[in-house]
Amino acid sequence: MRDETAVSVPARAAEYAETARATAPPPDPAGDDPPRRPERRAYAALDLGTNNCRLLIAEPAPYGFRVIDAFSRIVRLGEGLGTTDRLSDDAVERTVDALGVCLGKMRSRGVVRSKSIATEACRLAVNGPAFVDRVHREVGLDLEVVDRRTEAYLAVTGCAALADRHAESVVIFDIGGGSTEIVWLDGSAALARSADPTLRIRAWDSLPVGVVTLAERYGGADVTRPVFEGMVEEVADRLTKFALIAGAAAHAPNFHLLGTSGTVTTLAATHLRLPRYDRRRIDGLWMRDREVTDAIDGLLSTRLSDRAQNPCIGRDRADLVLAGCAILEAIRRAFPSERLRIADRGLREGLLMNMMREDGVWRRGGRPS
């Protein structure tokens, strides 16, 4: 397998330029002519990760899209993958069932175009290709197993709009079930010549560690402070190459972190003490450094049963959330920041933006906007 860790963008500028064009969001409309009202067409984006199966269905809107349906189910496709190199029969059955639900929603909403991707679990499993074939035969979905670079660029496309426009550096990260993508955006959006955030990528990395793999190695039920620090140290070691390249990011004016994952959204919800998860309260939330520390410490002091009873965590995440916090803590130590912005958006939003842009749904007067 090609080594894709700690990649500096200028070293492979031509290759990244091609990827940037493929993942660019539509620019903001300019001029006096109002945007053409898009025809009503439903698009679907499905993200099958190591832990979650997520679907988003949306219609184009004049300046983006409007979500009309969504689905999320924890399937733990990568359960046990670290020790067996195979997707287990139980995990495959759970996932095939969830994918069938997704297809039913696509059909009921009259989806005209869709994109379904799979990430780390299918990249690593020796029976990954057989699983993809089974999904095609039994469910009728064509899963594309995307590489790590594509996953990182899609995360940026999906959530970079939440970055502070005046921050001259931003580190974006996506903590997944089997891998963690991290990207350094250089230069402020306010001064950028293009609205495409991927053109600001200076470096990226994909760490082969996520909440499922880390929790299986260290245990997610009874996480003591020494166990937690052991997880942080492992992630910090894997982060070393990227931190050497992107270390200057944290010293830029208005620098901040931007996280997209179940870990950060769960952490934000517990910080707000929400009686139930509310995306409107979470997506775009700013957390101060001290608030993040307090939220992590609070979770470390709870038992597994308490975490399972928390309506913003639940039984499916109770044994994974502290592994995610350890990954977040390693990133915070490598890139100290007074601010962390929370994004409840990511790969699915990036896929939707790409498909709609390719179909020209934001064109004005027959010309690209």
Side-chain angles (χ1 to χ4, degrees):
M1 179 182 292
R2 184 178 66 177
D3 182 12
E4 294 186 307
T5 59
V7 182
S8 177
V9 168
R12 286 155 62 179
E15 185 178 12
Y16 291 143
E18 180 180 356
T19 305
R21 286 192 295 271
T23 59
D28 292 331
D32 297 328
D33 295 333
R36 178 170 60 96
R37 182 178 179 84
E39 58 182 301
R40 295 179 63 85
R41 303 180 66 195
Y43 290 74
L46 189 153
D47 169 24
L48 177 59
T50 302
N51 191 45
N52 251 328
C53 175
R54 297 172 177 169
L55 171 71
L56 203 61
I57 302 176
E59 292 177 341
Y63 300 102
F65 56 78
R66 182 178 69 87
V67 175
I68 58 175
D69 206 347
F71 173 80
S72 178
R73 180 183 294 179
I74 293 179
V75 294
R76 298 205 182 195
L77 178 61
E79 187 175 59
L81 185 59
T83 56
T84 66
D85 294 328
R86 298 182 61 83
L87 304 175
S88 73
D89 292 341
D90 288 345
V92 167
E93 292 300 329
R94 290 194 299 265
T95 305
V96 168
D97 181 67
L99 291 173
V101 175
C102 292
L103 182 62
K105 284 183 170 288
M106 291 184 199
R107 288 175 173 169
S108 67
R109 292 292 185 174
V111 168
V112 296
R113 187 176 177 192
S114 65
K115 184 81 168 178
S116 302
I117 65 170
T119 55
E120 189 73 356
C122 289
R123 286 195 291 256
L124 296 180
V126 295
N127 59 338
F131 167 73
V132 171
D133 289 342
R134 177 178 171 182
V135 170
H136 174 73
R137 291 193 317 271
E138 297 186 10
V139 182
L141 284 175
D142 292 321
L143 284 176
E144 177 185 351
V145 182
V146 297
D147 61 27
R148 290 167 175 158
R149 183 187 67 186
T150 300
E151 187 173 358
Y153 273 65
L154 283 171
V156 169
T157 302
C159 71
L162 289 178
D164 182 345
R165 288 181 52 79
H166 300 287
E168 295 188 16
S169 270
V170 178
V171 167
I172 298 177
F173 59 90
D174 182 0
I175 302 172
S179 66
T180 296
E181 280 61 49
I182 186 165
V183 179
W184 172 21
L185 293 191
D186 193 25
S188 71
L191 298 178
R193 294 183 178 180
S194 171
D196 177 6
T198 64
L199 297 179
R200 296 165 54 206
I201 293 179
R202 181 76 175 272
W204 68 275
D205 199 357
S206 180
L207 312 180
V209 61
V211 298
V212 174
T213 52
L214 202 60
E216 288 183 347
R217 280 201 293 275
Y218 289 85
D222 299 314
V223 181
T224 63
R225 178 65 69 169
V227 170
F228 182 79
E229 287 297 326
M231 290 192 284
V232 174
E233 289 176 10
E234 177 181 333
V235 178
D237 288 342
R238 297 180 183 275
L239 193 57
T240 300
K241 291 181 181 179
F242 181 79
L244 288 174
I245 293 174
H251 304 292
N254 300 314
F255 168 77
H256 70 89
L257 297 171
L258 197 168
T260 170
S261 67
T263 293
V264 295
T265 56
T266 298
L267 196 68
T270 58
H271 160 67
L272 294 177
R273 294 182 172 84
L274 297 180
R276 65 183 61 83
Y277 187 81
D278 184 350
R279 183 184 185 276
R280 295 169 298 179
R281 299 279 304 276
I282 300 301
D283 188 48
L285 177 73
W286 287 101
M287 291 183 67
R288 311 302 297 184
D289 184 62
R290 182 71 251 175
E291 293 172 336
V292 178
T293 299
D294 289 345
I296 293 175
D297 287 344
L299 288 174
L300 271 170
S301 67
T302 61
R303 296 175 300 179
L304 177 67
S305 59
D306 295 329
R307 297 195 296 273
Q309 292 174 6
N310 187 312
C312 295
I313 300 176
R315 290 179 299 174
D316 290 333
R317 293 186 184 275
D319 62 336
L320 302 177
V321 65
L322 287 173
C325 288
I327 297 172
L328 170 59
E329 183 62 23
I331 294 171
R332 292 175 66 215
R333 294 180 187 180
F335 300 95
S337 172
E338 183 55 33
R339 301 182 297 162
L340 166 64
R341 195 160 209 195
I342 310 298
D344 188 346
R345 59 178 78 182
L347 301 187
R348 295 173 302 167
E349 287 79 4
L351 289 168
L352 287 170
M353 296 291 276
N354 287 347
M355 287 187 286
M356 294 179 188
R357 178 193 58 81
E358 290 166 2
D359 286 354
V361 300
W362 292 288
R363 286 177 183 167
R364 297 181 298 111
R367 303 184 305 277
S369 61

